Amino acid sequence: MRVIKHFILFTIVFQWSITIYGQNKPNIILIVSDDAGYADFGFQGSKIMKTPRLDKLAKESVMFTQGYVSDPTCGPSRAGLITGRYQQKFGFEENNVPGYMSKSGLTGDDMGVPLEEVTIADYMKKLDYKTAFYGKWHLGGADRFHPLKRGFDEFYGFRGGARSYFPYENLPASHLDKMERGFGNFEEHEGYLTDVLAENAISFIDKNKNDPFFIVMSFNAVHTPMDGDEKDLKQFPNLTGKRKTVAAMTLALDRACGNILDKLKALKLDENTIIVFTNDNGGPTDKNASVNKPLSGTKSNHLEGGIRVPFLMKWPNKIKESSKYNYPISTLDLLPTLYVAGGGKVSDLKNIDGVDLFPYISGVNKNRPHESLYWKKDARAALRKGDWKLIRFPDRPAELYNIEEDISEHNNLANKYPEKVKEMYKQIFEWELTLERPLWQLKKKFEKFDIDRMDKYR
């Protein structure tokens, strides 16, 4: 009897220590949408898009009003996110486009995150997390870059940058567009891809409900091709053309996110799960009719509309609901933030550019997480320093904006503050000295170059 009493007491104390000291690791789901417009969610002010589940998530989260990506295009942005480093530091400066060859001889499949780079999944596995990746990879098509070789235990998705939302009846033009389960098991899905990806994530949650898990839910929605499900298109009778289709695709994205959240609640995991929702770059206002207002610019450029994205983070009882954080932060910060939340130490992380955001969110650290943020592609570059932003062009004078006072970047102050321009120009040059040469540069006319096909992967 005494032994039983001692066991019960030990169990109570152990559970209490988990609650007090945070030894019960939170589950983590990182949701990344693709090419969504900054203003194309209800929680971002849209009166057209129907996003009730994400709007509810926003009310339960902290909203980062100045959330940035590290590049205004898909591949480089994702390379920065998954490593917590400026991707230019390991030469991943341009999209990896299948079917083309760089000046150095690299083909599309060979263009990936170098193997010596440590991914967020590598780090989470060290903390005994079960790891999974669903959807668009776009970080290297060759086998050596495969998600299962970059820290993930499970993969269901496609290696490339864009594909049909409906099953292919014939083989796609690029083998990287084929759906793949695990490693090398290629088989087309049944149904609408956005829904199918969520279903696979839900299955993983069910299988690993007793273990801490880390999921990257990498939707290809709402990237082209413009494929709306018929039932979703019917929800927008007053819209036409691409705007109607992107609204339908966004509704499907919202539904898929909601289904994942419902599964967490059904398993009583929702109170111990961190949810992050963000986008990989600004919306392309031409190709999918996305809306970035009040931001100027679009995907592929360094105006705010190309690099500022919706950004939510929920952690029940840890992050204040329906709150806002107004200093600039970056998707580079996700790796250290989530690693620390899982029980890791910042000192374990080597050569990263992101920071742990929780001291800032909580108010313990009242400074800015970043005094400076950088962007670069070829000769184009941008620097956000405090509230000032300089954009450098290869073919015309630089532009200077005060983002705090001019979010839409309408008032170029370069002529008014020439010394500020000079100072920030010099800072960009100094940062560029820390970077590697690009491993590939696709803007030059290499053999078999096809600009229309390249644009598909942007």
Side-chain angles (χ1 to χ4, degrees), residues 136-147:
K136 171 177 171 173
W137 178 239
H138 209 201
L139 294 172
D143 287 351
R144 64 184 181 278
F145 299 126
H146 193 278

Side-chain angles (χ1 to χ4, degrees), residues 60-97:
E60 300 167 343
S61 305
V62 58
M63 178 187 294
F64 297 96
T65 61
Q66 297 193 67
Y68 288 98
V69 291
S70 61
D71 191 85
T73 56
C74 302
S77 170
R78 293 162 186 268
L81 183 156
I82 207 167
T83 60
R85 303 184 68 207
Y86 283 109
Q87 62 280 353
Q88 297 93 340
K89 290 189 174 180
F90 47 86
F92 200 128
E93 190 166 310
E94 175 59 272
N95 266 328
N96 48 353
V97 180

Side-chain angles (χ1 to χ4, degrees), residues 114-354:
L115 301 184
E116 59 268 23
E117 296 301 319
V118 184
T119 73
I120 189 171
D122 291 326
Y123 281 116
M124 298 311 293
K125 280 185 69 67
K126 292 180 181 179
L127 301 177
D128 296 323
Y129 273 76
K130 303 294 184 182
T131 59
F133 190 101
Y134 298 102
K136 171 177 171 173
W137 178 239
H138 209 201
L139 294 172
D143 287 351
R144 64 184 181 278
F145 299 126
H146 193 278
L148 296 188
K149 299 184 179 183
R150 306 311 301 264
F152 292 98
D153 298 318
E154 183 165 309
F155 171 66
Y156 180 68
F158 59 101
R159 302 189 195 187
R163 61 151 288 143
S164 171
Y165 290 75
F166 300 105
Y168 287 117
E169 295 183 3
N170 301 307
L171 287 177
S174 170
H175 66 283
L176 301 182
D177 294 349
K178 295 187 293 185
M179 290 301 295
E180 181 179 16
R181 185 176 300 282
F183 183 81
N185 301 310
F186 297 100
E187 183 179 357
E188 285 299 292
H189 61 291
E190 295 182 5
Y192 190 68
L193 185 55
T194 303
D195 293 320
V196 172
L197 292 175
E199 289 165 5
N200 278 266
I202 288 168
S203 177
F204 182 84
I205 291 169
D206 204 32
K207 289 185 298 184
N208 294 280
K209 56 182 176 288
N210 296 321
D211 296 299
F213 55 77
F214 170 68
I215 297 173
V216 177
M217 186 67 257
S218 178
F219 289 108
N220 56 317
V222 291
H223 195 292
T224 54
M226 301 303 290
D227 289 342
D229 196 341
E230 191 60 35
K231 67 177 181 295
D232 298 321
L233 288 165
K234 291 178 180 178
Q235 298 300 310
F236 301 92
N238 296 324
L239 297 179
T240 60
K242 292 181 181 179
R243 194 65 181 148
K244 179 171 184 165
T245 306
V246 78
M249 295 165 74
T250 303
L251 178 59
L253 170 68
D254 184 79
R255 177 177 61 246
C257 293
N259 290 341
I260 293 171
L261 297 173
D262 286 345
K263 184 62 176 182
L264 293 172
K265 188 170 185 178
L267 295 175
K268 296 182 171 55
L269 299 176
D270 53 321
E271 291 298 304
N272 191 39
T273 301
I274 298 172
I275 305 289
V276 176
F277 177 82
T278 190
N279 191 54
D280 65 343
N281 46 248
T285 55
D286 54 349
K287 291 182 173 57
N288 71 0
S290 59
V291 173
N292 297 321
K293 293 181 179 179
L295 310 179
S296 292
T298 182
K299 176 180 179 177
S300 300
N301 66 47
H302 291 141
L303 290 165
E304 293 291 285
I307 57 177
R308 190 188 291 207
V309 293
F311 208 131
L312 305 173
M313 186 180 294
K314 173 187 175 183
W315 191 2
N317 303 313
K318 299 285 187 178
I319 293 177
K320 184 179 178 181
E321 294 187 358
S322 198
S323 58
K324 291 185 177 181
Y325 187 80
N326 295 320
Y327 281 142
I329 59 101
S330 170
T331 47
L332 300 175
D333 301 324
L334 287 171
L335 188 154
T337 301
L338 299 178
Y339 181 72
V340 171
K345 298 178 181 178
V346 172
S347 58
D348 297 339
L349 306 174
K350 308 301 180 186
N351 300 320
I352 65 165
D353 296 298

